[in-house]
Every structure is written in structure tokens, then in C-alpha cells.
């Protein structure tokens, strides 16, 4: 279980995500669930960065779409991100997917969620 988040960071590893979902269901009422979801969120962001960097031509759109939807779901549950992971995702995503509608929608939702507390401008 400890090695799974690292495996999830590799691009297009759907089988590992199925195992991660099963572990999340087992941990449903556990104190470890929030920590587990934070690890999953970090792995999801790192996986997207790896996909964007290695596949600059958007050839894996369905895999990316499912990862983006997973990212959005995890963000709403965890509501916090590692600043380095976030910066890397935003920078790489905007560099390679600035025209991708799904990426932009998830990015907008993430910005709204993550910066809602600081919106005193």
C-alpha cells in the first residue's frame, strides 16, 4: 500500500488506480482516509505532469480526461495541495494543454476551490 502512490505517478496506470479506489473504499470510515486521499491527490497531479511532459501532442485524451476528473474529485474532498505539486501541474498543464477544454475547466474549478479563503481582494 505504501508503494502504490509512486506507481500511480506513472502515466496511464489505470490498473493501479483501480487498486487505489478499492483501498479508498476499504478505508472509508477510517482515520487514515484523509491522509490516503492526500497521497492520491499528489500522485494524480504528478501523473498528469508526467503525461503532459511525455505526450505533448494530446494523444492520450481519454486517460488525461479521467485523470483530470479524478483530480477534481480529490480536490473537493482534500481541499489542500502541496504547493510544489500545484505549481508543477499549473505550469506544465498551461504549457502543453492551454487549449484543452477539460484541463481548463478543472483548473478553473481548482483555482476557485483552493483560493476561495483568500478572496478578500
Amino acid at each position: 500500500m505504501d508503494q502504490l502512490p509512486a506507481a500511480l505517478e506513472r502515466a496511464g496506470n489505470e490498473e493501479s488506480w483501480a487498486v487505489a479506489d478499492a483501498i479508498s473504499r476499504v478505508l472509508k470510515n477510517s482515520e487514515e482516509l484523509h491522509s490516503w486521499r492526500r497521497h492520491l491527490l499528489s500522485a494524480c497531479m504528478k501523473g498528469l505532469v508526467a503525461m503532459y511532459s511525455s505526450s505533448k501532442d494530446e494523444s492520450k485524451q481519454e486517460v488525461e480526461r479521467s485523470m483530470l476528473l479524478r483530480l477534481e474529485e480529490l480536490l473537493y474532498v482534500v481541499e489542500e495541495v502541496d504547493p510544489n505539486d500545484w505549481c508543477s501541474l499549473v505550469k506544465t498543464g498551461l504549457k502543453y494543454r492551454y487549449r484543452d477544454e477539460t484541463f481548463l475547466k478543472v483548473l478553473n474549478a481548482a483555482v476557485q476551490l483552493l483560493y476561495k479563503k483568500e478572496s478578500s481582494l
Side-chain angles (χ1 to χ4, degrees):
M1 187 168 121
D2 295 334
Q3 298 170 353
L4 186 58
L8 295 171
E9 293 173 16
R10 290 191 287 275
N13 200 343
E14 284 299 309
E15 297 83 15
S16 294
W17 280 103
V19 173
D21 290 340
I23 292 171
S24 295
R25 285 190 296 276
V26 169
L27 294 175
K28 187 174 183 178
N29 295 320
S30 168
E31 295 174 6
E32 298 175 17
L33 183 60
H34 187 72
S35 174
W36 173 248
R37 285 180 172 160
R38 280 198 351 249
H39 288 297
L40 292 180
L41 179 60
S42 178
C44 187
M45 288 193 285
K46 289 176 182 175
L48 282 165
V49 168
M51 271 191 261
Y52 294 159
S53 298
S54 68
S55 176
K56 298 172 179 80
D57 62 355
E58 301 181 37
S59 62
K60 298 179 180 179
Q61 280 189 320
E62 282 309 309
V63 176
E64 288 180 15
R65 181 182 305 276
S66 70
M67 289 289 287
L68 284 166
L69 296 176
R70 182 181 300 277
L71 172 68
E72 186 174 23
E73 177 185 318
L74 286 167
L75 279 169
Y76 279 107
V77 175
V78 177
E79 294 186 339
E80 60 182 301
V81 295
D82 177 85
N84 293 328
D85 292 343
W86 174 246
C87 182
S88 183
L89 175 68
V90 171
K91 181 180 175 184
T92 308
L94 288 173
K95 182 176 182 178
Y96 297 115
R97 299 298 186 268
Y98 63 92
R99 293 186 209 160
D100 183 275
E101 184 178 350
T102 306
F103 170 75
L104 293 174
K105 283 182 180 179
V106 172
L107 180 63
N108 183 44
V111 167
Q112 298 298 321
L113 178 70
L114 295 172
Y115 295 99
K116 68 181 177 190
K117 296 173 190 156
E118 300 175 9
S119 62
S120 59
L121 296 177

